[in-house]
Amino acid sequence: MSDAAQPSAAEVRAAAEAVKAALDRHLDAVERRSGQDDPAVYAAFDELAAAAEVYDELLYDTYDEVTPFEIPGSDALPAYAGPEGPSALSVLIRRDYTVAEPQRLLHQAQRIADLDPDAADEAAGGADAAAVVGTSVHAALGVLFGEFEPDEIASRHKEFGLEEGDSTLWVAAADDPAEPGEWLSAPFDQADPQRVVCRFDVSAVFDEELEDDDLEAPDRGR
């Protein structure tokens, strides 16, 4: 940033005052909360985070100084807007894998097919699947995921020649339980981030960030 574009000391001071005011509003919302998922608390939290981010940026640009604040990323979920006491839930899971060892995958699928040819035919989508799962990754994946629960595959992925990628689990509130078969044609179309009660993410990027925090000084190169 050029000298002409540098924020003034007054702007930094004003940003600091905005953080103080946002802190007061956040504490007030917490003290007055109407329940565990009070939208007023979420709104005050978002306002405090935004004010802290502005102050953090101005402080760095003006004085080359940092704060101890950890600003939530822009990919965070929006404030919860679902029922306070949901009577039904939807659990949405995504797990990514890389086929790291195709031959191991094919071998494991063939072993399953040899033990239960009928199950292999059904899982791989056609008769005589047991004869081809050892040569087709597509058929092998059908057998593998048809035979084992997703959680078991997650815990044994290396055994099946798979390498874990990112994963996420969303627990979303619903007004009523879905009717049988109601959403099977489009299972993820109705996922509403504002109804997510909680979420759990797993990614190698989190480990890298922790390592960077341990190795680097507090200064942020920009």
Side-chain angles (χ1 to χ4, degrees), residues 200-220:
F200 304 93
D201 300 322
V202 176
S203 175
V205 72
F206 300 144
D207 297 331
E208 293 169 1
E209 289 174 353
L210 289 174
E211 291 174 0
D212 290 342
D213 289 343
D214 291 338
L215 294 174
E216 294 180 2
D219 179 60
R220 299 169 303 174

Side-chain angles (χ1 to χ4, degrees), residues 142-157:
V143 169
L144 179 65
F145 282 87
E147 179 72 12
F148 298 104
E149 294 291 333
D151 287 345
E152 184 170 3
I153 292 175
S155 65
R156 300 172 57 186
H157 62 278

Side-chain angles (χ1 to χ4, degrees), residues 166-187:
D166 289 355
S167 67
T168 187
L169 181 151
W170 292 17
V171 180
D175 294 321
D176 299 296
E179 295 294 329
E182 178 180 343
W183 48 257
L184 290 179
S185 61

Side-chain angles (χ1 to χ4, degrees), residues 21-217:
L23 276 169
D24 288 338
R25 288 190 289 271
H26 181 260
L27 178 58
D28 183 65
V30 170
E31 291 174 338
R32 298 170 179 269
R33 70 167 55 196
S34 59
Q36 184 63 34
D37 297 308
D38 189 339
V41 175
Y42 283 98
F45 174 90
D46 291 338
E47 182 183 346
L48 175 57
E53 184 170 15
V54 171
Y55 173 65
D56 184 83
E57 294 288 340
L58 290 174
L59 186 71
Y60 184 84
D61 291 339
T62 305
Y63 299 111
D64 197 28
E65 187 55 73
V66 298
T67 71
F69 303 147
E70 182 177 347
I71 309 302
S74 59
D75 59 346
L77 289 170
Y80 179 74
E84 181 175 341
S87 58
L89 297 171
S90 289
V91 179
L92 309 174
I93 301 174
R94 172 173 173 170
R95 293 189 177 113
D96 285 0
Y97 296 97
T98 300
V99 181
E101 299 181 69
Q103 289 305 316
R104 181 182 290 272
L105 170 66
L106 296 172
H107 173 76
Q108 292 285 17
Q110 187 64 64
R111 182 179 62 83
I112 296 168
D114 291 342
L115 293 172
D116 190 354
D118 292 337
D121 291 343
E122 181 179 351
D128 299 325
V132 300
V133 293
T135 59
S136 167
V137 170
H138 184 277
L141 289 170
V143 169
L144 179 65
F145 282 87
E147 179 72 12
F148 298 104
E149 294 291 333
D151 287 345
E152 184 170 3
I153 292 175
S155 65
R156 300 172 57 186
H157 62 278
K158 291 184 178 179
E159 179 183 336
F160 301 128
L162 303 176
E163 182 177 319
E164 283 186 311
D166 289 355
S167 67
T168 187
L169 181 151
W170 292 17
V171 180
D175 294 321
D176 299 296
E179 295 294 329
E182 178 180 343
W183 48 257
L184 290 179
S185 61
F188 304 111
D189 282 3
Q190 297 180 357
D192 183 352
Q194 288 191 297
R195 283 181 165 257
V196 173
V197 178
C198 56
R199 67 177 288 179
F200 304 93
D201 300 322
V202 176
S203 175
V205 72
F206 300 144
D207 297 331
E208 293 169 1
E209 289 174 353
L210 289 174
E211 291 174 0
D212 290 342
D213 289 343
D214 291 338
L215 294 174
E216 294 180 2

